[in-house]
Amino acid sequence: MQIFPTLRQLIAHKADPDLAGDAVIQLPQTLLPDQSTTDWAPLLGPKARFLVQDQGAASRPGYRPWLTIGGLRRIAEGLEHDFGDSDLLAALALHLNPAPAPEPPTADHPPLQWPTLADDEARLRWYHACIHATQACITPASRAELDVLEDRLKCALPPFLRLYHQRLGTLDLPERLCSVQPDGQTPIAPLINAYPGIRDIVEPLAEPDRAAALARVDALIAFGDYLGNGNLFCFHRQTGAVWYFDHDTPPMLTPMFDTVTDYLDALMIKALAQTHGASDDATEQLLRERFDEHLVRQWMY
């Protein structure tokens, strides 16, 4: 454990080899009593103290977790050597404040059809219109929250999943997405942590099947809670492909989508189908326009 009396001193030591990237910076609980604050000036004031502890260590009484050292390093990357207080506050705001929620669409509900989307911005606009039609809330995460998540996972999120959470962040869709925050209802987490009972499913397998199954499980990160029944959608750490974990019906793991974007697109179609009052058969027919028949049946049934 190390204590730094000012944020500047902590930034000056951010590259010290004895400060691990996943080490947690703790703040006095009274320094920022409103955890949703966007005013970071108290961090530069006389009451500030910065306590750095190893990941997993119990919080010191009167302190609460703030950032990881890795997160602070990313905030400080763009600062000049002789940065001023205003530069530091601007960097903190850029990384710690969630993006402003986009203006709600003024048009009627999007039509129940697959749109032509030129780029990620067009896709985000369509997503926003679909979410607005369901009256779900826009809850974007800050860059720092996403950085901390990636530090915790020890891998990057698929780029569009990160962009989705940074710009929209809606979790309550026809299937619930996992939260960026670790204390959320179902946080984004390695599959082995999200469903610890998976070990009991894998253990009875004979070798080499057991080793192969464990290796695959270790490569998967749960990011979608499906229907809250223990089954999960996961992305692969290296490829970004989406797999479906079914805890009670073989096969345990099924490859489903090439990318997280494909899965999110399909969720938006399902959201529109609900808004338009479409039947299950009509919804499935729409999904079959883009995805394989076997995939749709595996997903819907």
Side-chain angles (χ1 to χ4, degrees), residues 15-80:
D16 287 1
D18 56 339
L19 292 181
D22 63 352
V24 178
I25 304 167
Q26 305 263 346
L27 298 177
Q29 291 177 345
T30 56
L31 187 62
L32 297 172
D34 179 4
Q35 296 192 28
S36 63
T37 187
T38 57
D39 176 16
W40 305 108
L43 297 177
L44 309 185
K47 296 181 180 180
R49 292 291 184 276
F50 303 87
L51 186 153
V52 180
Q53 292 183 304
D54 291 338
Q55 183 72 241
S59 295
R60 182 174 177 174
Y63 283 71
R64 68 171 180 83
W66 180 48
L67 289 176
T68 61
I69 287 295
L72 182 65
R73 286 170 180 161
R74 281 186 282 269
I75 291 173
E77 280 176 357
L79 292 172
E80 300 291 341

Side-chain angles (χ1 to χ4, degrees), residues 152-154 187-203 210-223 230 232-235 237 245 252-253:
R152 191 165 65 248
L153 298 176
K154 294 181 170 54
I188 297 173
L191 175 56
I192 195 72
N193 296 339
Y195 194 88
I198 199 169
R199 296 181 186 277
D200 298 329
I201 301 174
V202 173
E203 280 299 323
R210 183 163 68 96
L214 284 172
R216 182 162 292 158
V217 166
D218 286 343
L220 295 176
I221 304 292
F223 76 95
L232 299 161
F233 277 97
C234 309
F235 68 82
R237 290 175 182 268
F245 165 67
M252 177 181 69
L253 292 171

Side-chain angles (χ1 to χ4, degrees), residues 32-277:
L32 297 172
D34 179 4
Q35 296 192 28
S36 63
T37 187
T38 57
D39 176 16
W40 305 108
L43 297 177
L44 309 185
K47 296 181 180 180
R49 292 291 184 276
F50 303 87
L51 186 153
V52 180
Q53 292 183 304
D54 291 338
Q55 183 72 241
S59 295
R60 182 174 177 174
Y63 283 71
R64 68 171 180 83
W66 180 48
L67 289 176
T68 61
I69 287 295
L72 182 65
R73 286 170 180 161
R74 281 186 282 269
I75 291 173
E77 280 176 357
L79 292 172
E80 300 291 341
H81 177 70
D82 56 347
F83 65 87
D85 286 354
S86 61
D87 301 317
L88 178 52
L89 291 173
L92 290 169
L94 177 64
H95 285 79
L96 299 177
N97 294 352
E103 290 294 322
T106 56
D108 293 334
H109 299 339
L112 185 53
Q113 62 187 39
W114 290 103
T116 300
L117 302 169
D119 53 27
D120 286 348
E121 287 301 320
R123 176 166 272 104
L124 287 169
R125 287 194 296 272
W126 179 60
Y127 281 18
H128 188 204
C130 295
I131 292 168
H132 182 66
T134 69
Q135 300 184 341
C137 296
I138 301 295
T139 54
S142 70
R143 295 185 186 191
E145 287 175 316
L146 292 162
D147 289 344
V148 168
L149 170 61
E150 292 180 339
D151 285 342
R152 191 165 65 248
L153 298 176
K154 294 181 170 54
C155 75
L157 296 173
F160 190 77
L161 181 61
R162 181 179 171 110
L163 185 61
Y164 174 84
H165 280 293
Q166 186 177 329
R167 298 280 291 279
L168 297 173
T170 301
L171 304 181
D172 292 317
L173 298 166
E175 297 174 7
R176 184 170 176 82
L177 297 181
C178 300
S179 67
V180 170
Q181 292 77 17
D183 55 355
Q185 181 177 349
T186 306
I188 297 173
L191 175 56
I192 195 72
N193 296 339
Y195 194 88
I198 199 169
R199 296 181 186 277
D200 298 329
I201 301 174
V202 173
E203 280 299 323
L205 298 177
E207 295 293 359
D209 293 340
R210 183 163 68 96
L214 284 172
R216 182 162 292 158
V217 166
D218 286 343
L220 295 176
I221 304 292
F223 76 95
D225 195 21
Y226 188 48
L227 302 177
N229 60 359
N231 296 348
L232 299 161
F233 277 97
C234 309
F235 68 82
H236 193 282
R237 290 175 182 268
Q238 281 78 45
T239 68
V242 174
W243 290 69
Y244 177 61
F245 165 67
D246 189 326
H247 72 282
D248 59 7
T249 305
M252 177 181 69
L253 292 171
T254 303
M256 293 290 284
F257 300 94
D258 292 337
T259 68
V260 170
T261 308
D262 288 337
Y263 173 65
L264 293 177
D265 283 358
L267 277 191
M268 296 304 156
I269 283 291
K270 291 182 73 173
L272 281 181
Q274 290 182 0
T275 301
H276 284 269

Side-chain angles (χ1 to χ4, degrees), residues 114 256-267 269-270 283-297 299:
W114 290 103
M256 293 290 284
F257 300 94
D258 292 337
T259 68
V260 170
T261 308
D262 288 337
Y263 173 65
L264 293 177
D265 283 358
L267 277 191
I269 283 291
K270 291 182 73 173
T283 304
E284 290 177 30
Q285 185 57 43
L286 268 172
L287 292 172
R288 289 190 192 97
E289 290 179 12
R290 182 162 167 183
F291 302 110
D292 178 80
E293 167 78 22
H294 176 72
L295 182 151
V296 173
R297 291 196 63 80
W299 187 14

